[in-house]
């Protein structure tokens, strides 16, 4: 129990960072790219609520205690970013991939919404 | 209306601007240059760490010259219709000046999860040694 509270305190102490995000559209749907350097697969969570996709990840830099820093331009942090989803996204087929610190989320379009011709029947 | 589709507009934008202006920014260095660098040392090594997400090890060019360590590479641009682009793309280069002697043959570099770590061992012969003086 005490360990849990310690962990939550630790995560609270990490500064929250909004990761740099690209959102783009291709023929097969939408793509979201996020820079999450230092985040391991097990520290990454992707949640989908009603129409919001939330990405949270923790990056802990592997510096030992004995090191003294001369220059610090980035540090450990908790990445949090929410992206709102359009109704045209097929929630069942969303795919996510984490490679070299970049998260790629593919949001395919709903196929139902593809234009469809309605045949007219003659009575 | 048109504003609904504009990603730049959001309510409270002006208030946010004022807040940001007066709030001290601990992460100010984050936006300085790409890629951000951390430099540290311990008793045996110097460490250069850098966040370079999206690149494989062979796409990062590391050059160790007499006086400097150069990190170069190119971040590719994705193809498609952009709605939002925040990730830096294109060529980058950062030069770390080394004003200290390092053991050039034992320099190691690793790239894991988008974080580059270069370990530069301190030169053995350059570590200050204590010389004990024996009294005869």
């Amino acid at each position: 129990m005490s360990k849990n509270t310690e962990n939550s305190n630790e995560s609270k102490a990490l500064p929250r960072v909004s990761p740099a995000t690209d959102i783009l559209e291709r023929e097969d749907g939408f793509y979201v790219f996020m820079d999450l350097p230092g985040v391991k697969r097990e520290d990454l969570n992707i949640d989908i609520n009603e129409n919001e996709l939330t990405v949270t990840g923790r990056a802990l830099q592997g510096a030992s205690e004995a090191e003294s820093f001369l220059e610090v331009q980035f540090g450990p942090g908790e990445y949090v970013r929410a992206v709102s989803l359009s109704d045209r996204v097929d929630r069942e087929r969303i795919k996510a991939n984490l490679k070299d610190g970049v998260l790629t989320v593919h949001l395919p379009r709903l196929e139902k919404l593809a234009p469809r011709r309605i045949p007219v029947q003659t009575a | 209306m048109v504003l609904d589709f504009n990603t730049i507009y959001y309510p409270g934008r002006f208030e946010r601007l004022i807040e940001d202006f007066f709030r001290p920014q601990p992460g100010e260095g984050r936006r300085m240059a790409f890629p951000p660098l951390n430099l540290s040392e311990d008793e045996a090594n110097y460490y250069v760490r850098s966040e370079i997400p999206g690149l494989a090890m062979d796409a990062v060019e590391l050059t160790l010259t007499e006086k400097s360590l150069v990190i170069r590479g190119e971040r590719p641009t994705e193809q498609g219709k952009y709605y939002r682009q925040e990730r830096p793309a294109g060529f980058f280069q950062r030069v770390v000046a080394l004003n200290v002697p390092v053991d050039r043959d034992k320099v190691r570099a690793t790239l894991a999860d988008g974080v580059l770590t270069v370990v530069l061992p301190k030169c053995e012969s350059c570590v200050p040694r204590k010389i004990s003086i024996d009294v005869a």
Side-chain angles (χ1 to χ4, degrees):
Chain A
M1 194 67 192
S2 61
K3 216 172 199 181
N4 266 338
T5 52
E6 260 172 39
N7 277 341
S8 64
N9 283 341
E10 198 178 277
S11 65
K12 260 180 204 162
L14 287 177
R16 283 185 145 213
V17 183
S18 175
T21 306
D22 286 359
I23 300 173
L24 47 92
E25 186 177 5
R26 286 184 197 153
E27 285 194 356
D28 57 340
F30 298 92
Y31 283 85
V32 178
F33 294 93
M34 278 189 199
D35 280 349
L36 302 166
V39 178
K40 293 193 176 63
R41 191 167 301 211
E42 54 267 27
D43 293 333
L44 181 70
N45 286 312
I46 305 172
D47 300 304
I48 297 181
N49 263 330
E50 286 283 305
N51 48 9
E52 218 178 39
L53 181 122
T54 312
V55 177
T56 46
R58 290 176 68 188
L60 305 165
Q61 253 73 39
S64 67
E65 294 285 313
E67 288 175 38
S68 61
F69 280 83
L70 314 165
E71 172 82 36
V72 177
Q73 294 178 358
F74 67 93
E78 190 174 13
Y79 293 101
V80 182
R81 185 80 188 235
V83 177
S84 56
L85 297 178
S86 132
D87 289 340
R88 290 184 291 156
V89 168
D90 189 346
R91 267 134 239 240
E92 304 301 316
R93 291 189 295 137
I94 293 175
K95 273 189 206 136
N97 183 26
L98 181 69
K99 187 175 179 277
D100 293 330
V102 174
L103 173 74
T104 308
V105 185
H106 177 209
L107 310 161
R109 283 200 199 83
L110 267 181
E111 278 177 14
K112 278 182 212 154
L113 290 179
R116 189 163 58 97
R117 179 169 281 190
I118 300 164
V120 182
Q121 284 158 354
T122 45
Chain B
M1 297 270 291
V2 183
L3 273 181
D4 291 342
F5 296 102
N6 192 340
T7 49
I8 296 165
Y9 175 81
Y10 51 89
R13 187 183 172 202
F14 189 71
E15 287 78 359
R16 186 89 65 96
L17 190 74
I18 302 288
E19 267 175 38
D20 282 353
F21 187 77
F22 288 109
R23 188 171 43 192
Q25 295 262 323
E28 195 58 53
R30 272 177 199 278
R31 290 183 292 276
M32 269 161 51
F34 185 87
L37 289 174
N38 275 4
L39 309 179
S40 63
E41 63 168 324
D42 62 13
E43 283 191 0
N45 303 304
Y46 295 100
Y47 299 92
V48 177
R49 290 196 182 82
S50 186
E51 289 185 331
I52 314 177
L55 287 186
M57 193 68 218
D58 49 358
V60 181
E61 191 185 316
L62 280 172
T63 320
L64 186 68
T65 63
E66 198 65 49
K67 292 263 171 190
S68 63
L69 172 75
V70 184
I71 302 166
R72 310 181 55 176
E74 188 189 6
R75 294 236 306 170
T77 323
E78 305 292 342
Q79 293 301 309
K81 196 171 109 192
Y82 272 95
Y83 288 106
R84 186 178 272 271
Q85 183 171 19
E86 298 168 359
R87 303 195 307 140
F91 278 103
F92 62 84
Q93 167 172 315
R94 292 216 67 177
V95 182
V96 183
L98 301 172
N99 301 319
V100 286
V102 293
D103 201 338
R104 302 169 62 83
D105 298 329
K106 287 183 190 157
V107 174
R108 284 174 289 124
T110 50
L111 185 62
D113 299 318
V115 179
L116 173 79
T117 309
V118 186
V119 182
L120 305 138
K122 290 184 182 176
C123 170
E124 286 276 331
S125 53
C126 318
V127 175
R129 243 175 302 164
K130 225 182 222 173
I131 303 164
S132 59
I133 303 167
D134 298 326
V135 183

